[in-house]
Short mmCIF file of all heavy atoms in Angstrom, two decimals:
data_model
loop_
_atom_site.label_atom_id
_atom_site.label_comp_id
_atom_site.label_asym_id
_atom_site.label_seq_id
_atom_site.Cartn_x
_atom_site.Cartn_y
_atom_site.Cartn_z
N GLU A 283 0.82 -1.21 0.00
CA GLU A 283 0.00 0.00 0.00
C GLU A 283 0.86 1.26 0.00
O GLU A 283 0.55 2.24 -0.68
CB GLU A 283 -0.93 -0.01 1.21
CG GLU A 283 -2.08 -0.99 1.07
CD GLU A 283 -2.96 -1.04 2.30
OE1 GLU A 283 -2.50 -0.64 3.39
OE2 GLU A 283 -4.11 -1.50 2.18
N VAL A 284 1.94 1.25 0.76
CA VAL A 284 2.80 2.43 0.82
C VAL A 284 3.60 2.59 -0.47
O VAL A 284 3.58 3.65 -1.11
CB VAL A 284 3.77 2.35 2.02
CG1 VAL A 284 4.78 3.51 1.98
CG2 VAL A 284 3.00 2.37 3.33
N THR A 285 4.28 1.54 -0.89
CA THR A 285 5.21 1.65 -2.01
C THR A 285 4.50 1.71 -3.35
O THR A 285 4.80 2.58 -4.18
CB THR A 285 6.19 0.46 -2.00
OG1 THR A 285 6.77 0.33 -0.71
CG2 THR A 285 7.29 0.66 -3.03
N TYR A 286 3.55 0.81 -3.58
CA TYR A 286 2.85 0.79 -4.88
C TYR A 286 1.66 1.74 -4.91
O TYR A 286 1.61 2.68 -5.70
CB TYR A 286 2.40 -0.62 -5.22
CG TYR A 286 1.51 -0.67 -6.45
CD1 TYR A 286 1.92 -0.09 -7.66
CD2 TYR A 286 0.25 -1.27 -6.41
CE1 TYR A 286 1.10 -0.11 -8.78
CE2 TYR A 286 -0.56 -1.29 -7.53
CZ TYR A 286 -0.14 -0.71 -8.71
OH TYR A 286 -0.95 -0.72 -9.81
N LEU A 287 0.68 1.52 -4.00
CA LEU A 287 -0.51 2.35 -4.05
C LEU A 287 -0.20 3.81 -3.71
O LEU A 287 -0.85 4.72 -4.24
CB LEU A 287 -1.59 1.80 -3.13
CG LEU A 287 -2.22 0.48 -3.58
CD1 LEU A 287 -3.28 0.02 -2.59
CD2 LEU A 287 -2.81 0.62 -4.98
N GLY A 288 0.79 4.05 -2.88
CA GLY A 288 1.19 5.43 -2.61
C GLY A 288 1.64 6.13 -3.87
O GLY A 288 1.34 7.31 -4.09
N THR A 289 2.34 5.40 -4.73
CA THR A 289 2.76 5.96 -6.02
C THR A 289 1.55 6.19 -6.93
O THR A 289 1.45 7.23 -7.61
CB THR A 289 3.75 5.01 -6.71
OG1 THR A 289 4.96 4.97 -5.94
CG2 THR A 289 4.07 5.46 -8.12
N VAL A 290 0.62 5.25 -6.94
CA VAL A 290 -0.59 5.40 -7.75
C VAL A 290 -1.39 6.61 -7.28
O VAL A 290 -1.82 7.44 -8.10
CB VAL A 290 -1.46 4.13 -7.67
CG1 VAL A 290 -2.81 4.35 -8.35
CG2 VAL A 290 -0.73 2.95 -8.31
N TYR A 291 -1.58 6.75 -5.98
CA TYR A 291 -2.38 7.87 -5.46
C TYR A 291 -1.70 9.21 -5.75
O TYR A 291 -2.37 10.19 -6.11
CB TYR A 291 -2.60 7.72 -3.95
CG TYR A 291 -3.35 6.47 -3.55
CD1 TYR A 291 -3.16 5.87 -2.30
CD2 TYR A 291 -4.26 5.87 -4.42
CE1 TYR A 291 -3.85 4.74 -1.92
CE2 TYR A 291 -4.95 4.73 -4.05
CZ TYR A 291 -4.74 4.15 -2.80
OH TYR A 291 -5.41 3.02 -2.43
N GLY A 292 -0.38 9.26 -5.61
CA GLY A 292 0.34 10.49 -5.92
C GLY A 292 0.22 10.85 -7.39
O GLY A 292 0.00 12.01 -7.75
N THR A 293 0.33 9.85 -8.24
CA THR A 293 0.21 10.07 -9.68
C THR A 293 -1.18 10.57 -10.04
O THR A 293 -1.34 11.50 -10.85
CB THR A 293 0.51 8.77 -10.44
OG1 THR A 293 1.84 8.34 -10.12
CG2 THR A 293 0.40 8.97 -11.94
N MET A 294 -2.20 9.98 -9.46
CA MET A 294 -3.57 10.39 -9.74
C MET A 294 -3.84 11.83 -9.29
O MET A 294 -4.49 12.60 -10.01
CB MET A 294 -4.55 9.42 -9.07
CG MET A 294 -4.50 8.01 -9.65
SD MET A 294 -5.52 6.82 -8.73
CE MET A 294 -7.14 7.28 -9.28
N ALA A 295 -3.31 12.19 -8.12
CA ALA A 295 -3.50 13.55 -7.63
C ALA A 295 -2.80 14.56 -8.54
O ALA A 295 -3.33 15.64 -8.83
CB ALA A 295 -2.97 13.68 -6.20
N ALA A 296 -1.61 14.20 -9.00
CA ALA A 296 -0.88 15.09 -9.91
C ALA A 296 -1.59 15.20 -11.25
O ALA A 296 -1.77 16.31 -11.80
CB ALA A 296 0.54 14.57 -10.11
N LEU A 297 -2.02 14.08 -11.79
CA LEU A 297 -2.69 14.08 -13.09
C LEU A 297 -3.97 14.90 -13.09
O LEU A 297 -4.28 15.59 -14.07
CB LEU A 297 -3.03 12.64 -13.50
CG LEU A 297 -1.94 11.82 -14.17
CD1 LEU A 297 -2.45 10.42 -14.44
CD2 LEU A 297 -1.47 12.47 -15.46
N LYS A 298 -4.71 14.83 -12.02
CA LYS A 298 -5.97 15.57 -11.93
C LYS A 298 -5.76 17.05 -12.22
O LYS A 298 -6.59 17.70 -12.86
CB LYS A 298 -6.58 15.37 -10.54
CG LYS A 298 -7.89 16.10 -10.32
CD LYS A 298 -8.43 15.81 -8.93
CE LYS A 298 -9.72 16.60 -8.66
NZ LYS A 298 -10.25 16.29 -7.29
N ARG A 299 -4.62 17.57 -11.77
CA ARG A 299 -4.33 18.98 -11.96
C ARG A 299 -3.55 19.24 -13.25
O ARG A 299 -3.79 20.23 -13.94
CB ARG A 299 -3.56 19.49 -10.74
CG ARG A 299 -4.47 19.54 -9.53
CD ARG A 299 -3.79 19.28 -8.21
NE ARG A 299 -4.81 19.33 -7.16
CZ ARG A 299 -5.52 18.25 -6.77
NH1 ARG A 299 -5.30 17.07 -7.33
NH2 ARG A 299 -6.45 18.37 -5.85
N MET A 300 -2.64 18.37 -13.58
CA MET A 300 -1.83 18.57 -14.78
C MET A 300 -2.64 18.45 -16.06
O MET A 300 -2.38 19.16 -17.04
CB MET A 300 -0.67 17.58 -14.80
CG MET A 300 0.37 17.82 -13.73
SD MET A 300 1.69 16.58 -13.74
CE MET A 300 2.74 17.18 -12.40
N ARG A 301 -3.65 17.58 -16.07
CA ARG A 301 -4.47 17.43 -17.26
C ARG A 301 -5.27 18.70 -17.56
O ARG A 301 -5.51 19.03 -18.73
CB ARG A 301 -5.42 16.24 -17.13
CG ARG A 301 -4.72 14.88 -17.20
CD ARG A 301 -5.74 13.74 -17.21
NE ARG A 301 -6.45 13.71 -18.49
CZ ARG A 301 -6.11 12.94 -19.53
NH1 ARG A 301 -5.06 12.15 -19.44
NH2 ARG A 301 -6.81 12.96 -20.63
N GLU A 302 -5.66 19.42 -16.53
CA GLU A 302 -6.39 20.67 -16.74
C GLU A 302 -5.54 21.70 -17.47
O GLU A 302 -6.05 22.50 -18.25
CB GLU A 302 -6.85 21.24 -15.39
CG GLU A 302 -7.88 20.38 -14.68
CD GLU A 302 -8.22 20.93 -13.31
OE1 GLU A 302 -7.55 21.91 -12.87
OE2 GLU A 302 -9.15 20.40 -12.66
N ARG A 303 -4.21 21.65 -17.23
CA ARG A 303 -3.30 22.64 -17.82
C ARG A 303 -2.54 22.07 -19.02
O ARG A 303 -1.83 22.80 -19.71
CB ARG A 303 -2.31 23.12 -16.76
CG ARG A 303 -2.97 23.80 -15.58
CD ARG A 303 -1.95 24.33 -14.59
NE ARG A 303 -1.28 23.29 -13.83
CZ ARG A 303 -1.69 22.86 -12.64
NH1 ARG A 303 -2.79 23.37 -12.09
NH2 ARG A 303 -1.02 21.93 -11.99
N ASN A 304 -2.64 20.74 -19.19
CA ASN A 304 -1.92 20.03 -20.25
C ASN A 304 -0.41 20.25 -20.16
O ASN A 304 0.28 20.46 -21.16
CB ASN A 304 -2.42 20.44 -21.65
CG ASN A 304 -1.92 19.48 -22.73
OD1 ASN A 304 -1.74 18.29 -22.49
ND2 ASN A 304 -1.68 20.01 -23.91
N ARG A 305 0.11 20.14 -18.97
CA ARG A 305 1.56 20.24 -18.78
C ARG A 305 1.92 19.67 -17.41
O ARG A 305 1.07 19.56 -16.52
CB ARG A 305 2.05 21.67 -18.89
CG ARG A 305 1.51 22.62 -17.82
CD ARG A 305 2.09 24.02 -17.97
NE ARG A 305 1.51 24.96 -17.02
CZ ARG A 305 1.92 25.11 -15.76
NH1 ARG A 305 2.92 24.36 -15.30
NH2 ARG A 305 1.33 25.98 -14.97
N GLY A 306 3.18 19.31 -17.26
CA GLY A 306 3.67 18.79 -16.00
C GLY A 306 4.48 17.52 -16.19
O GLY A 306 4.43 16.89 -17.25
N THR A 307 5.24 17.17 -15.17
CA THR A 307 6.09 15.98 -15.21
C THR A 307 5.91 15.17 -13.94
O THR A 307 5.88 15.73 -12.83
CB THR A 307 7.57 16.38 -15.35
OG1 THR A 307 7.76 17.09 -16.58
CG2 THR A 307 8.47 15.15 -15.33
N ILE A 308 5.79 13.87 -14.10
CA ILE A 308 5.69 12.94 -12.97
C ILE A 308 6.90 12.01 -13.02
O ILE A 308 7.17 11.39 -14.06
CB ILE A 308 4.40 12.13 -13.02
CG1 ILE A 308 3.18 13.06 -12.97
CG2 ILE A 308 4.35 11.11 -11.87
CD1 ILE A 308 1.87 12.36 -13.26
N VAL A 309 7.64 11.94 -11.94
CA VAL A 309 8.82 11.08 -11.85
C VAL A 309 8.56 9.97 -10.85
O VAL A 309 8.29 10.23 -9.67
CB VAL A 309 10.07 11.88 -11.42
CG1 VAL A 309 11.30 10.97 -11.38
CG2 VAL A 309 10.31 13.07 -12.36
N GLN A 310 8.60 8.73 -11.33
CA GLN A 310 8.47 7.58 -10.45
C GLN A 310 9.87 7.09 -10.08
O GLN A 310 10.66 6.74 -10.96
CB GLN A 310 7.72 6.43 -11.15
CG GLN A 310 6.51 6.85 -11.97
CD GLN A 310 5.31 7.27 -11.14
OE1 GLN A 310 5.46 7.98 -10.16
NE2 GLN A 310 4.13 6.87 -11.56
N VAL A 311 10.17 7.07 -8.81
CA VAL A 311 11.48 6.58 -8.37
C VAL A 311 11.40 5.06 -8.25
O VAL A 311 10.72 4.53 -7.37
CB VAL A 311 11.90 7.22 -7.03
CG1 VAL A 311 13.25 6.66 -6.59
CG2 VAL A 311 11.97 8.74 -7.18
N GLY A 312 12.06 4.41 -9.18
CA GLY A 312 12.03 2.95 -9.23
C GLY A 312 13.36 2.35 -8.80
O GLY A 312 14.10 2.92 -7.99
N SER A 313 13.66 1.21 -9.35
CA SER A 313 14.84 0.46 -8.93
C SER A 313 15.16 -0.59 -9.99
O SER A 313 14.28 -1.00 -10.75
CB SER A 313 14.54 -0.23 -7.59
OG SER A 313 15.52 -1.19 -7.28
N ALA A 314 16.40 -1.00 -10.01
CA ALA A 314 16.75 -2.14 -10.85
C ALA A 314 15.91 -3.35 -10.46
O ALA A 314 15.67 -4.25 -11.27
CB ALA A 314 18.24 -2.47 -10.70
N LEU A 315 15.40 -3.35 -9.21
CA LEU A 315 14.58 -4.45 -8.72
C LEU A 315 13.18 -4.43 -9.33
O LEU A 315 12.38 -5.33 -9.08
CB LEU A 315 14.48 -4.42 -7.20
CG LEU A 315 15.82 -4.44 -6.45
CD1 LEU A 315 15.59 -4.59 -4.96
CD2 LEU A 315 16.74 -5.54 -6.97
N ALA A 316 12.88 -3.41 -10.14
CA ALA A 316 11.63 -3.40 -10.91
C ALA A 316 11.76 -4.31 -12.13
O ALA A 316 10.75 -4.58 -12.80
CB ALA A 316 11.30 -1.98 -11.35
N TYR A 317 12.96 -4.74 -12.43
CA TYR A 317 13.22 -5.66 -13.54
C TYR A 317 13.79 -6.99 -13.05
O TYR A 317 13.48 -8.05 -13.60
CB TYR A 317 14.24 -5.05 -14.52
CG TYR A 317 13.68 -3.98 -15.41
CD1 TYR A 317 13.68 -2.65 -15.02
CD2 TYR A 317 13.18 -4.29 -16.67
CE1 TYR A 317 13.18 -1.65 -15.85
CE2 TYR A 317 12.68 -3.31 -17.51
CZ TYR A 317 12.68 -1.99 -17.10
OH TYR A 317 12.19 -1.01 -17.93
N ARG A 318 14.66 -6.95 -12.05
CA ARG A 318 15.32 -8.15 -11.54
C ARG A 318 15.03 -8.28 -10.05
O ARG A 318 15.64 -7.61 -9.22
CB ARG A 318 16.81 -8.07 -11.79
CG ARG A 318 17.64 -9.17 -11.16
CD ARG A 318 17.36 -10.56 -11.71
NE ARG A 318 16.67 -11.41 -10.75
CZ ARG A 318 16.40 -12.69 -10.98
NH1 ARG A 318 16.75 -13.25 -12.15
NH2 ARG A 318 15.76 -13.41 -10.09
N ALA A 319 14.06 -9.11 -9.69
CA ALA A 319 13.72 -9.31 -8.29
C ALA A 319 14.81 -10.10 -7.59
O ALA A 319 15.51 -10.91 -8.20
CB ALA A 319 12.38 -10.03 -8.16
N ILE A 320 14.96 -9.86 -6.29
CA ILE A 320 15.96 -10.57 -5.51
C ILE A 320 15.30 -11.19 -4.27
O ILE A 320 14.24 -10.73 -3.83
CB ILE A 320 17.12 -9.65 -5.09
CG1 ILE A 320 16.61 -8.51 -4.19
CG2 ILE A 320 17.83 -9.09 -6.32
CD1 ILE A 320 17.73 -7.63 -3.64
N PRO A 321 15.91 -12.22 -3.70
CA PRO A 321 15.33 -12.83 -2.50
C PRO A 321 15.38 -11.88 -1.32
O PRO A 321 16.16 -10.93 -1.30
CB PRO A 321 16.24 -14.05 -2.27
CG PRO A 321 17.55 -13.66 -2.89
CD PRO A 321 17.18 -12.85 -4.10
N LEU A 322 14.53 -12.13 -0.35
CA LEU A 322 14.45 -11.40 0.92
C LEU A 322 13.84 -10.01 0.78
O LEU A 322 13.73 -9.29 1.76
CB LEU A 322 15.84 -11.29 1.59
CG LEU A 322 16.58 -12.62 1.81
CD1 LEU A 322 17.93 -12.36 2.47
CD2 LEU A 322 15.75 -13.58 2.64
N GLN A 323 13.44 -9.61 -0.43
CA GLN A 323 12.78 -8.32 -0.64
C GLN A 323 11.57 -8.48 -1.56
O GLN A 323 11.34 -7.66 -2.44
CB GLN A 323 13.75 -7.29 -1.21
CG GLN A 323 14.84 -6.86 -0.25
CD GLN A 323 15.46 -5.54 -0.64
OE1 GLN A 323 14.77 -4.53 -0.82
NE2 GLN A 323 16.77 -5.53 -0.77
N SER A 324 10.81 -9.52 -1.36
CA SER A 324 9.69 -9.82 -2.26
C SER A 324 8.64 -8.71 -2.26
O SER A 324 8.10 -8.36 -3.33
CB SER A 324 9.04 -11.15 -1.86
OG SER A 324 8.60 -11.10 -0.49
N ALA A 325 8.32 -8.15 -1.11
CA ALA A 325 7.29 -7.10 -1.04
C ALA A 325 7.73 -5.86 -1.81
O ALA A 325 6.97 -5.27 -2.58
CB ALA A 325 6.99 -6.75 0.41
N TYR A 326 8.97 -5.46 -1.60
CA TYR A 326 9.50 -4.27 -2.28
C TYR A 326 9.62 -4.51 -3.79
O TYR A 326 9.21 -3.67 -4.59
CB TYR A 326 10.86 -3.93 -1.68
CG TYR A 326 11.52 -2.71 -2.27
CD1 TYR A 326 11.15 -1.43 -1.89
CD2 TYR A 326 12.55 -2.84 -3.21
CE1 TYR A 326 11.76 -0.31 -2.42
CE2 TYR A 326 13.16 -1.73 -3.75
CZ TYR A 326 12.77 -0.47 -3.34
OH TYR A 326 13.38 0.64 -3.89
N CYS A 327 10.17 -5.66 -4.16
CA CYS A 327 10.32 -5.97 -5.59
C CYS A 327 8.96 -6.03 -6.28
O CYS A 327 8.79 -5.49 -7.39
CB CYS A 327 11.05 -7.30 -5.77
SG CYS A 327 12.77 -7.27 -5.27
N GLY A 328 8.00 -6.69 -5.65
CA GLY A 328 6.67 -6.79 -6.24
C GLY A 328 6.05 -5.42 -6.46
O GLY A 328 5.44 -5.15 -7.50
N ALA A 329 6.24 -4.51 -5.50
CA ALA A 329 5.70 -3.16 -5.63
C ALA A 329 6.37 -2.40 -6.75
O ALA A 329 5.72 -1.68 -7.52
CB ALA A 329 5.84 -2.42 -4.30
N LYS A 330 7.69 -2.54 -6.87
CA LYS A 330 8.41 -1.82 -7.93
C LYS A 330 8.05 -2.37 -9.32
O LYS A 330 7.96 -1.61 -10.28
CB LYS A 330 9.92 -1.90 -7.69
CG LYS A 330 10.40 -1.12 -6.49
CD LYS A 330 10.11 0.38 -6.62
CE LYS A 330 10.63 1.17 -5.43
NZ LYS A 330 10.35 2.62 -5.54
#
């Protein structure tokens, strides 16, 4: 909820305003673990 849905909620809040003006930038801070999952961090990797 924090790592994945927090990003979704932040993106939605930004988009709601940026679409009205047709401008803006959203940066998602990801990780190499968004492509290559590693053991002992399944929750974090799954969210990324």
